[in-house]
Amino acid sequence: MSAPNTIRSLHLLSDKKFLPWIKRTFSLPNWSAFYIVLNPNQKNYSHPLEDNILEVSADEYGEKIILESLHQYDIAFHYFLDNMKAEIIAKSANKILHYWCFYGAEVYQQTSLFRNELYGVYTKRILRVLPEIRFRYDLRKFYYKYILFKKAPVDSLQAAIPHIHAILWYVEEEVKLIGRKINLPPWQFFQFFNVVDIIPPGTKTTNTKSKKILIGNSATIENNHADVLPGLLEIIDKEYTFSLPMTYGQFARYKTRIKTTYSRALNDRVTYLEEHLELDEYYQFLHEHPTAIFLHYRQQALGNILYLLYTGTKVYLSENNIIYTWLIKHDIEVFKFEEAFQSDVSTNQLTLDHASIAKNQQNIMQLLDHQRNDITIRAIENEIFSRKNKQK
């Protein structure tokens, strides 16, 4: 049984792979933690994985188990605020504090708030012939309302927000950007990883003599692959090759179309990474790319971007991406694809010099290795103890 002054925390997540990070983050003095993993592939299911880890089905059965257990906790952390977690928040009593551990995809992929702001000119043309992507938000809303008889994700999100004490994330600029579209809970800084999770000890540097260019991080349309291609065709030097990671992405026709388009344009100079690699192998793969282009108009692939910048890769982002603004604010050398790539091709400046690499390494460490989490933890503890004293 927990001591009277122990903060009892519940952590709800949808993927077991994040458990090590979360457990390390909340191994705190005077805190106890219980973890519930929501499994969408099970029905009417509940199974303990460890003493303090329970896996339940992501359905009404699992929801009931969670709602009935909430009274045991002072605080609940929701990692990726999907429909089920939002419903749990909206249905729960006000005695427990709810914190939204932000990912980004819960807004960009579950709602249509940014649907007209994510795609470049050529990618929009592809959207016209892929209705499964173009109308996915409308189809999702229809599916939830008329097949599942539940609220659509955006409606569940809006119903949950008034009951959320704070949104936790480490890029304040992004929270402000989203706040222009939908009212959000108050923002508090929190970084759900240690610097060694992004930059492991012994991390090697990029092979700057390589002529491989990395394009995006997945087979999702938000990579704007079609808008990258015209820039690649400006490269006259045929020794350059191009790598497209495509290990995940739910729309098969988009992936097929991009592979066909790139192969026709670049022939055997383009390769596709379609199998998941072990982490060490993936790092080795990244190290062979001294140039990388991530043409997302939204926050995506942030872990990859930070890692590549640290190892010495010259990274091009879209000028529309709030992460570009955030990195520049922290004096990290990153480049606008729309403005800089073509001129860098003509002047053969597609890699960073040693001084720029050293500068990025120093500033990324300053950005990620800090004590700001401690400030937020103290604020959370004060809020919980204040509420407990009022309830006495």
Side-chain angles (χ1 to χ4, degrees):
M1 183 175 291
S2 299
N5 63 341
T6 297
I7 293 175
R8 303 161 300 169
S9 64
L10 176 65
H11 302 261
L12 301 179
L13 55 153
S14 302
D15 196 324
K16 286 184 281 191
K17 72 180 181 183
F18 296 112
L19 270 171
W21 287 13
I22 298 168
K23 292 176 79 171
R24 275 202 307 274
T25 301
F26 286 96
S27 295
L28 299 166
N30 302 319
W31 281 64
S32 67
F34 192 83
Y35 306 90
I36 298 182
V37 180
L38 306 176
N39 188 334
N41 301 315
Q42 297 284 355
K43 297 293 182 185
N44 300 320
Y45 170 83
S46 173
H47 180 71
L49 302 179
E50 295 179 23
D51 287 344
N52 63 340
I53 304 174
L54 178 68
E55 186 174 45
V56 302
S57 48
D59 57 10
E60 291 182 358
Y61 180 86
E63 180 183 294
K64 184 173 184 290
I65 290 174
I66 294 168
L67 284 170
E68 290 177 349
S69 70
L70 283 179
H71 70 278
Q72 303 174 44
Y73 304 99
D74 303 305
I75 185 169
F77 294 92
H78 302 263
Y79 302 85
F80 186 87
L81 193 58
D82 57 18
N83 220 52
M84 181 170 171
K85 298 188 193 81
E87 287 292 309
I88 288 168
I89 293 171
K91 293 175 182 178
S92 67
N94 291 327
K95 291 182 179 180
I96 184 171
L97 286 172
H98 292 283
Y99 281 75
W100 174 3
C101 304
F102 182 75
Y103 280 33
E106 56 262 70
V107 172
Y108 303 122
Q109 293 181 8
Q110 291 193 135
T111 78
S112 61
L113 294 171
F114 289 87
R115 70 191 301 174
N116 297 319
E117 301 173 28
L118 297 180
Y119 311 113
V121 173
Y122 295 103
T123 300
K124 285 180 179 177
R125 293 179 187 175
I126 294 177
L127 271 175
R128 296 173 191 165
V129 297
L130 295 177
E132 66 269 35
I133 303 179
R134 184 180 180 186
F135 300 111
R136 61 179 151 170
Y137 305 109
D138 308 286
L139 293 169
R140 184 180 290 117
K141 189 171 185 177
F142 180 90
Y143 176 73
Y144 272 88
K145 290 184 70 172
Y146 301 109
I147 304 298
L148 299 180
F149 300 104
K150 293 182 177 181
K151 291 179 182 176
V154 67
D155 297 327
S156 292
L157 180 63
Q158 289 177 319
I161 283 173
H163 305 279
I164 298 173
H165 189 74
I167 181 170
L168 302 180
W169 187 230
Y170 62 104
V171 184
E172 183 180 10
E173 290 83 352
E174 184 177 13
V175 176
K176 288 181 177 178
L177 174 69
I178 294 170
R180 298 173 192 165
K181 298 278 189 178
I182 185 173
N183 290 327
L184 293 175
W187 169 77
Q188 288 182 265
F189 179 94
F190 209 78
Q191 182 177 295
F192 291 93
F193 55 84
N194 297 319
V195 65
V196 296
D197 295 316
I198 299 296
I199 316 295
T203 291
K204 298 178 180 178
T205 55
T206 296
N207 176 10
T208 56
K209 296 188 182 300
S210 170
K211 288 191 173 183
K212 291 184 178 181
I213 298 179
L214 182 70
I215 313 298
N217 76 313
S218 66
T220 61
I221 194 170
E222 287 76 23
N223 284 268
N224 284 307
H225 296 102
D227 291 270
V228 175
L229 184 56
L232 304 182
L233 295 175
E234 296 291 324
I235 301 175
I236 299 174
D237 187 345
K238 300 303 181 184
E239 291 185 15
Y240 276 96
T241 61
F242 311 96
S243 304
L244 277 69
M246 309 201 90
T247 50
Y248 68 91
Q250 68 184 103
F251 297 105
R253 289 210 301 160
Y254 173 76
K255 178 178 177 179
T256 299
R257 188 181 185 93
I258 290 302
K259 288 180 64 177
T260 300
T261 302
Y262 266 69
S263 293
R264 284 176 179 170
L266 300 168
N267 301 310
D268 60 355
R269 295 167 63 203
V270 59
T271 58
Y272 308 98
L273 177 63
E274 298 184 79
E275 295 183 3
H276 288 280
L277 301 177
E278 294 294 330
L279 190 55
D280 287 344
E281 291 182 283
Y282 186 62
Y283 287 149
Q284 291 175 20
F285 166 78
L286 293 180
H287 293 163
E288 287 301 311
H289 298 85
T291 311
I293 302 166
F294 297 92
L295 202 60
H296 311 93
Y297 288 9
R298 49 158 279 199
Q299 178 265 120
Q300 189 170 325
L302 189 46
N304 280 341
I305 291 168
L306 291 169
Y307 181 84
L308 285 165
L309 285 167
Y310 183 85
T311 60
T313 293
K314 187 169 187 176
V315 173
Y316 294 87
L317 301 180
S318 172
E319 61 188 1
N320 300 299
N321 192 340
I322 195 66
I323 298 304
Y324 171 82
T325 305
W326 176 65
L327 290 169
I328 291 295
K329 173 185 172 182
H330 290 280
D331 201 21
I332 294 168
E333 287 197 33
V334 63
F335 299 84
K336 290 182 183 178
F337 176 80
E338 297 90 343
E339 183 178 289
F341 186 76
Q342 190 169 354
S343 63
D344 286 350
V345 168
S346 63
T347 58
N348 194 28
Q349 292 183 318
L350 292 175
T351 59
L352 292 178
D353 57 41
H354 292 300
S356 296
I357 293 172
K359 175 187 172 184
N360 275 354
Q361 288 178 338
Q362 178 181 347
N363 291 341
I364 285 172
M365 290 303 291
Q366 290 178 354
L367 177 63
L368 299 180
D369 193 12
H370 50 74
Q371 304 302 317
R372 293 184 67 185
N373 276 9
D374 294 343
I375 298 171
T376 299
I377 289 292
R378 298 292 87 78
I380 291 173
E381 290 174 344
N382 290 338
E383 178 66 26
I384 290 172
F385 289 133
S386 175
R387 289 166 66 97
K388 284 185 173 184
N389 289 332
K390 289 177 182 178
Q391 292 168 7
K392 289 181 179 179

